Amino acid sequence: KIRRLVDRYFARFLNIKYISVGDSVAKNELVNFHTKSVIIYNWYNSERFNLSLKSNREKYISKYNIPADAFVLTTIGNCSPVKRHDLIIQALSQLPSWINWIYLHVGSEEKGFPERDLAASYNLSDYCHFLGPISEVEQILSISDVYLMSSQVEGLGIAALEAMGCGIPTILTKSPGLIDLIEKINGVIAVDASPKSIAEGVIQLALMS
């Protein structure tokens, strides 16, 4: 923090302007580093991520060996403690048996694959598919029924924006960066950062499907 404060001081001295990708980032800069910034919101490519992707569902369900009647839950993002994917896996362990769910985890995993081990500890390995990095994430979004993001903090979650651009019901934890999306976009399911609250959000959407 001290280094960043020094950086910001010299930036102001040199009349350098800072840009923030969302309201939470701008607030953080102002409160913690006394820096006013111009907000230029993160964006997504609406020509690539849109409602038309759903027409490819049958094609990619077959490619990824997903049962046609599965309720597909998805996260897209590399693993790190700040992403809190452990909360999602713990939430999955609390889902009722009537939800025929499959969890797709897209992104690089941490060394030692701790999230796979956590899924195994709850006997969920058969239902949690760790797919690694995928460049054509449109394929995954086309078969997704729910998108989940449980980050402790985000700038402004582009992966969540892309999922919502495809019309996928989205569950977000009420955390900096994600709260900006919750406040600005209708229909987002806002949950607390707890397995119970995340599970309740999934159940709510399953009842609506």
Side-chain angles (χ1 to χ4, degrees), residues 105-126:
H105 178 295
V106 178
S108 298
E109 298 174 64
E110 289 185 280
K111 184 177 181 180
F113 307 106
E115 293 175 9
R116 296 190 188 211
D117 290 342
L118 182 62
S121 72
Y122 287 106
N123 296 317
L124 300 178
S125 296
D126 291 342

Side-chain angles (χ1 to χ4, degrees), residues 74-78 80-91 103 105 115 147-154 160 170-176 178 189 191-195 198:
T74 298
T75 57
I76 298 174
N78 296 333
S80 68
V82 75
K83 296 297 184 181
R84 299 192 297 198
H85 291 160
D86 57 313
L87 295 180
I88 293 175
I89 294 171
Q90 292 173 57
Y103 174 51
H105 178 295
E115 293 175 9
Y147 185 82
L148 298 150
M149 186 171 275
S150 53
S151 304
Q152 183 177 358
V153 63
E154 286 281 343
T170 300
I171 297 173
L172 304 176
T173 50
K174 293 178 280 191
S175 52
L178 298 183
I189 304 296
V191 297
D192 295 327
S194 72
I198 295 171

